[in-house]
Every structure is written in C-alpha cells, then in structure tokens.
C-alpha cells in the first residue's frame, strides 16, 4: 500500500493545486458480548480498507474518500477532491491559509504484549464467560453484561510537502455491568467505568481484573438500593478519575475545539461559550487547573507522529494556572486565532474528513494521594463512575450523575450514597477546584466513542486525570 500512496502523491503533485495529502487505513475490529451469563455476540470486521484525499485549491479545502481501491475509483476520488475545492472556493469570502510544514518521514508500529487478533477465539470467549457467570449468582442482580472490543488500525499518511508516515496501533476496551433491583427501584454498577478504553492488546483486559471485581460491583449495586441520596444543597466533592475524565471531556475538551468558535459544529454537537478574545486573559479555573493537549505521549490512544494534515505531534497548554491560553486547532483555525497548529486534526477512517479532535487531553496532576485528599476533607463526598449527564450546546451549563458515592466525615469515608448528582457552570466549576492528586494517582482513561461531525465519526482518545476536589458545588436543584 505504500507504493499506492506514493503513486497518488505523485499524481497530485502534477495538479495545479497548493497542497494535498493522502491517507490510507486498514482497520480490524473484534467484539465479545455476554448478556445475563450467555454469549450474545462474537464477531469480527477485518481488513476494512479506506482511502482519503484532501487538497487545497483556489484557497479552499476539498476532500473525497473511497473504500474501493481500483485505479478508476482512485482517479475519480482525486478529481472529486479537486472539484470540491474549486467549487467551494466560489463561496469563501477569504481564502484558507496554509503554512508550510517541515516534512516528516517516520514509522510507529505498536506491538501489544498479547495480540488479541492472534489469540485463540475459544480462549477469549471462555475468559469472558467466567466473568459473565460470576455476575448472575445473586438473585437481586436482574441484568448483567460483559463486553470487550479489540481494535487495530494501520495508517499511512503522505502529503505533497514530503511527509510520509505509517503507524500501527492497538486499542482495547473492556467493561462489565450489573443491575440490581428490589422490586421498587434498580441501581447499576459498571467496572472499570465508561471511560475504559486503553492503548494495548489483551493484556489490558487482564490489567483491569474484571473477574476479581465481580463481587465488588454486585455488593455495591445491592447496597445502593437502600442507600440515601445527597441531601445538602451544596457540598464539597472529590471526583474519581473514572468520572472526572468525562467531566474534563465535556466541559473543557469539546469547549476548546477551535472549530466550534467559528460555528462548524453548531447544527450537530454544539458550539462553545469561548470567544477568540478570551485567549490569554479568561479565567477558566483556579490556579491549580492546568489542562493540556498532548499527542506525544505513547501511553494514550491519542498518540501520533503527525496528525491528519501533517502537523507533528505536540504538547500544547490549553489552560495554564487557570487561564485560558490556547485552543485545539487545525492549520486554518490556528491562523485565524494567531496561534500555532496544535496537531489535533484527525479522522476515524481514511474516507472520513479530518476534524479538530481531542487526542490525549489531560488535567495535570497536583500533589498527594487520594487518601491524603480524603483526609484533608472535613465534610463532603467522594463520587465516581458516570451514570447520566447533560450539557448545553455552549459547553457551559451541565448536570452529571454518578453511580455511587461515599459520604466523607472528618476525613474518613463513611456510608454509600446513591446517584450523586451535581450541577455547575463550566468556569465556576473549574474555579472551585482546590485539590488535585499527584502523579501516583494520575492515569489515562479513554473512550472509543467520542462523536463529532456530519456524517458522524467516533474517535478513540484518552484523558490523563487524577482525582480532584471541588468546593461548595451545587448538589441539589433546590440550591
């Protein structure tokens, strides 16, 4: 396939265009799903091939993609990308800017410890069946499932500037779920949570120790049936990593995608309250809050050598000591904002158009352990594991509910509380952060399902977080 991409680049170099890039992806997926102790689905989608061509012509970007790799189809895709750019240019008030990038030639081939695509299928099914069977032994558990998805993608990226990069990555997402009922209401517990995607192979399934934690989530789900709810109108809350990753994702990650500033996601996934003149002076959080985009950390699913327009991977401060200083950008949006491109242009598959996407979007660690943070909390709650959530299309007003929480009294965890719910406004919420755990608690959480774009794309990405405390947060709608 490398020769195929070389040949396409040579054809594009012969065209009267400013710039072009080519992407090829070969993607494999495998899913294992048990429901109520029984295998419901086991399937694979192998060798899903796709090709995408993007050009800059007459001051406008044009894109076309295909899954048919015949010469005729490829030639038609080239013509369509150029035609789309030239037609689009008639509707632009200002030409798209393009800054030349230093060419990159490199290769990154991730090798998992245990390649799930080379393992015996029966072994993987039996492994998950043991977990599934342990989830159905208690009569109060009325529903359960165990699910793992394995993903592998090989990608080639090349452009007319001389960049040629190929990469191979593996991602794995394991999860189990139980629902308990007492005939009056039901309560659920998931493990290891909804932000459970990881860079790696079958070794990541072993690391989360689902079988060893079946009794834990069963017991917690049953205890939640009789547990009280938070009664205070406001409370100090410590948010565990599994849920804090989603809070970061929704109220900071999507809010700082620069295309939203310019109205490119309004009809589908919303805009943002951020305006260009806020950069460098707007207080997004307390002095402790440092948020950054990092596509150079190989531990997360957002790692890449270059993004899907050839910008080398980078670490970019988004919020520094509480102040909004930058955005996640493309080349075009970076030029509009007067900043450097942040290497955040990505597409799920080669025949998808690149969009500004989160990569490894992180909250920098602070100091101390989770135990230290709990001990320093006189009264409050420790909460984790997302249950429901909503946020407005400005990424400003939000409501989150977690599956479980624990009352903190005099620095100690006490009884369980059910469905801890809290409300907030994005900058006020992050301004209330007065404690973040240190590097010993910091780790990547991830998702396979970050949706954006029309037609929709689901992106794999990671969030580096550690548990954090937020003071005087609204926990009751009567506040």
């Amino acid at each position: 396939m490398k020769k195929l991409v070389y040949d396409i680049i040579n054809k594009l170099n012969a065209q009267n265009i400013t710039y072009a890039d080519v992407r090829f992806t070969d993607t494999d997926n495998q899913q294992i799903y048990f429901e109520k102790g029984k295998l419901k689905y086991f399937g694979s989608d192998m060798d899903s091939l796709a090709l995408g061509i993007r050009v800059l012509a007459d001051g406008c970007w044009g894109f076309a993609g295909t899954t048919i790799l015949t010469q005729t189809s490829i030639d038609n895709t080239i013509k369509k990308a150029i035609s789309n750019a030239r037609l689009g240019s008639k509707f632009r008030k200002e030409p798209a800017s393009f800054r030349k990038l230093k060419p990159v030639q490199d290769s990154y081939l991730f090798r998992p410890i245990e390649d799930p695509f080379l393992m015996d299928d029966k072994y993987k099914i039996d492994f998950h069946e043991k977990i599934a069977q342990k989830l159905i032994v208690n009569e109060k558990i009325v529903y359960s499932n165990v699910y793992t998805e394995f993903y592998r993608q090989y990608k080639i990226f090349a452009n007319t500037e001389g960049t040629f990069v190929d990469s191979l990555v593996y991602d794995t997402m394991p999860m189990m779920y139980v629902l308990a009922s007492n005939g009056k209401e039901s309560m659920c517990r998931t493990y290891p949570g909804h932000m459970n995607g990881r860079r790696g192979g079958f070794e990541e399934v072993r690391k989360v120790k689902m079988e060893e934690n079946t009794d834990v989530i069963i017991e917690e789900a049953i205890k939640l049936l009789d547990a009280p709810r938070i009664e205070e109108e406001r409370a100090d809350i410590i948010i565990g990593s599994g849920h804090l990753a989603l809070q970061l994702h929704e109220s900071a990650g999507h809010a700082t995608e620069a295309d939203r500033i310019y109205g490119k996601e309004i009809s589908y996934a919303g805009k943002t309250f951020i305006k260009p003149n806020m950069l460098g002076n707007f207080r997004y959080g307390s002095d402790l809050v440092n948020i950054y985009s990092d596509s150079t950390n190989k531990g997360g699913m957002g790692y890449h050598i270059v993004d899907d327009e050839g910008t080398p991977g980078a670490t970019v401060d988004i919020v520094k000591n509480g102040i909004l200083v930058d955005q996640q950008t493309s080349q075009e949006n970076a030029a509009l904002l007067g900043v450097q491109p942040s290497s955040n242009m990505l597409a799920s598959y080669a025949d998808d158009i690149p969009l500004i996407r989160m990569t490894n979007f992180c909250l920098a660690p602070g100091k101390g352990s989770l135990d230290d943070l709990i001990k320093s909390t006189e009264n409050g709650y420790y909460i984790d594991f997302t249950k429901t959530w909503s946020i407005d299309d400005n990424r400003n007003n939000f409501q989150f509910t977690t599956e479980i929480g624990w009352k903190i009294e005099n620095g100690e965890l006490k009884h369980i509380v059910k469905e801890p719910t809290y409300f907030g406004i994005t900058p006020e919420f992050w301004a209330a952060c007065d404690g973040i755990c240190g590097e010993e608690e910091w780790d990547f959480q991830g998702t396979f399902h970050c949706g954006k774009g029309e037609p929709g794309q689901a992106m794999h990405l990671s969030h580096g977080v550690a548990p954090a405390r937020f003071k005087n947060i609204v926990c009751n709608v009567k506040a």
Side-chain angles (χ1 to χ4, degrees):
M1 286 299 170
K2 288 184 177 181
K3 184 180 183 306
L4 175 69
V5 173
Y6 272 122
D7 291 343
I8 296 171
I9 283 293
N10 288 333
K11 285 187 177 182
L12 289 164
N13 269 319
Q15 306 291 324
N16 183 26
I17 56 178
T18 305
Y19 166 90
D21 54 46
V22 179
R23 283 175 295 117
F24 164 82
T25 54
D26 181 354
T27 309
D28 303 321
N29 281 280
Q30 187 175 81
Q31 298 175 355
I32 302 172
Y33 179 65
F34 277 81
E35 188 176 78
K36 298 173 73 172
K38 296 181 180 180
L39 180 64
K40 284 292 185 179
Y41 180 80
F42 175 75
S44 301
D45 183 8
M46 308 295 286
D47 291 323
S48 296
L49 308 181
L51 182 75
I53 296 169
R54 195 179 67 131
V55 305
L56 180 62
D58 296 344
C60 184
W61 292 102
F63 174 80
T66 183
T67 58
I68 302 171
L69 302 186
T70 64
Q71 193 58 60
T72 298
S73 175
I74 292 169
D75 289 342
N76 288 337
T77 304
I78 293 173
K79 291 176 183 177
K80 187 174 182 180
I82 296 172
S83 174
N84 286 343
R86 298 202 191 285
L87 179 62
S89 70
K90 300 180 186 300
F91 300 92
R92 288 194 67 110
K93 294 181 179 179
E94 297 291 337
S97 62
F98 174 79
R99 60 183 80 185
K100 288 185 176 294
L101 296 169
K102 183 179 179 180
V104 177
Q105 291 90 34
D106 205 350
S107 181
Y108 176 70
L109 303 177
F110 179 88
R111 299 296 184 189
I113 296 172
E114 293 181 273
D115 189 331
F117 296 97
L118 299 179
M119 294 174 67
D120 178 68
D121 288 342
K122 185 178 185 304
Y123 175 85
K124 290 178 288 188
I125 292 171
D126 290 347
F127 182 97
H128 287 78
E129 185 174 21
K130 286 179 63 179
I131 300 165
Q133 287 296 317
K134 291 190 70 172
L135 295 178
I136 61 173
V137 296
N138 192 299
E139 62 181 10
K140 289 188 177 180
I141 300 300
V142 296
Y143 178 83
S144 63
N145 65 55
V146 181
Y147 172 85
T148 296
E149 181 174 351
F150 302 107
Y151 166 94
R152 173 174 64 189
Q153 186 177 79
Y154 177 68
K155 180 195 290 188
I156 302 171
F157 174 89
N159 65 20
T160 50
E161 301 291 297
T163 290
F164 197 98
V165 170
D166 71 328
S167 62
L168 175 68
V169 298
Y170 287 72
D171 295 334
T172 295
M173 186 175 67
M175 187 177 76
M176 60 182 179
Y177 170 94
V178 294
L179 182 70
S181 175
N182 58 9
K184 297 179 181 179
E185 63 178 335
S186 58
M187 288 290 149
C188 66
R189 280 291 287 111
T190 57
Y191 181 86
H194 290 92
M195 283 284 183
N196 53 343
R198 303 288 189 271
R199 173 57 41 91
F202 197 85
E203 68 274 9
E204 296 302 319
V205 181
R206 298 190 195 278
K207 284 179 184 178
V208 298
K209 299 181 179 179
M210 288 195 290
E211 185 177 358
E212 294 90 324
N213 283 279
T214 53
D215 291 342
V216 174
I217 64 169
I218 289 171
E219 180 183 358
E220 289 179 346
I222 293 171
K223 283 184 175 180
L224 283 168
L225 293 170
D226 298 318
R229 288 182 168 84
I230 295 176
E231 296 182 354
E232 295 97 323
E233 292 184 352
R234 288 180 176 268
D236 298 343
I237 59 174
I238 297 174
I239 302 178
S241 296
H243 176 69
L244 186 59
L246 182 68
Q247 175 74 64
L248 179 70
H249 180 98
E250 299 296 343
S251 65
H254 280 309
T256 58
E257 294 166 339
D259 53 349
R260 295 178 188 271
I261 292 177
Y262 298 103
K264 294 184 180 180
E265 278 289 304
I266 288 177
S267 65
Y268 176 57
K271 47 191 175 181
T272 178
F273 70 91
I274 294 171
K275 306 299 181 187
N277 62 6
M278 292 181 177
L279 297 190
N281 59 72
F282 181 76
R283 179 158 289 282
Y284 208 94
S286 71
D287 289 344
L288 295 179
V289 175
N290 292 281
I291 298 171
Y292 60 95
S293 174
D294 181 9
S295 49
T296 68
N297 190 325
K298 295 179 180 179
M301 294 187 291
Y303 170 78
H304 54 246
I305 299 170
V306 297
D307 71 0
D308 286 349
E309 61 178 4
T311 303
T315 301
V316 178
D317 289 326
I318 303 298
V319 176
K320 187 69 174 176
N321 298 327
I323 303 300
L324 180 69
V325 294
D326 210 335
Q327 297 282 281
Q328 299 167 87
T329 59
S330 63
Q331 280 220 42
E332 183 174 359
N333 288 126
L336 291 172
L337 291 169
V339 298
Q340 293 296 313
S342 64
S343 194
N344 282 92
M345 278 288 274
L346 296 167
S348 298
Y349 303 97
D351 59 334
D352 291 324
I353 189 168
L355 305 169
I356 296 176
R357 304 307 302 265
M358 287 175 263
T359 56
N360 298 322
F361 192 81
C362 306
L363 174 67
K367 295 180 180 179
S369 67
L370 176 58
D371 285 344
D372 293 335
L373 194 59
I374 292 171
K375 288 176 181 177
S376 67
T377 305
E378 184 176 352
N379 283 289
Y381 295 89
Y382 171 56
I383 67 175
D384 207 354
F385 304 106
T386 306
K387 188 166 188 177
T388 64
W389 62 274
S390 65
I391 191 167
D392 70 17
D393 66 359
N394 273 322
R395 299 286 157 177
N396 202 17
N397 291 277
F398 59 77
Q399 171 187 327
F400 286 93
T401 299
T402 62
E403 291 178 351
I404 192 168
W406 290 264
K407 175 65 177 174
I408 302 172
E409 294 179 354
N410 299 317
E412 294 184 357
L413 293 182
K414 297 296 184 178
H415 60 82
I416 286 175
V417 293
K418 68 176 66 172
E419 298 181 319
T421 299
Y422 65 96
F423 308 80
I425 297 173
T426 292
E428 293 179 3
F429 174 81
W430 288 104
C433 180
D434 80 329
I436 303 172
C437 293
E439 292 183 3
E440 63 268 40
E441 304 283 358
W442 193 94
D443 197 8
F444 278 120
Q445 313 289 320
T447 180
F448 281 20
H449 305 302
C450 176
K452 191 174 181 182
E454 294 181 283
Q457 298 182 40
M459 182 58 62
H460 295 205
L461 55 91
S462 293
H463 295 295
V465 292
R469 184 174 60 203
F470 300 83
K471 302 287 285 185
N472 199 31
I473 301 301
V474 177
C475 295
N476 192 308
V477 292
K478 294 184 293 185

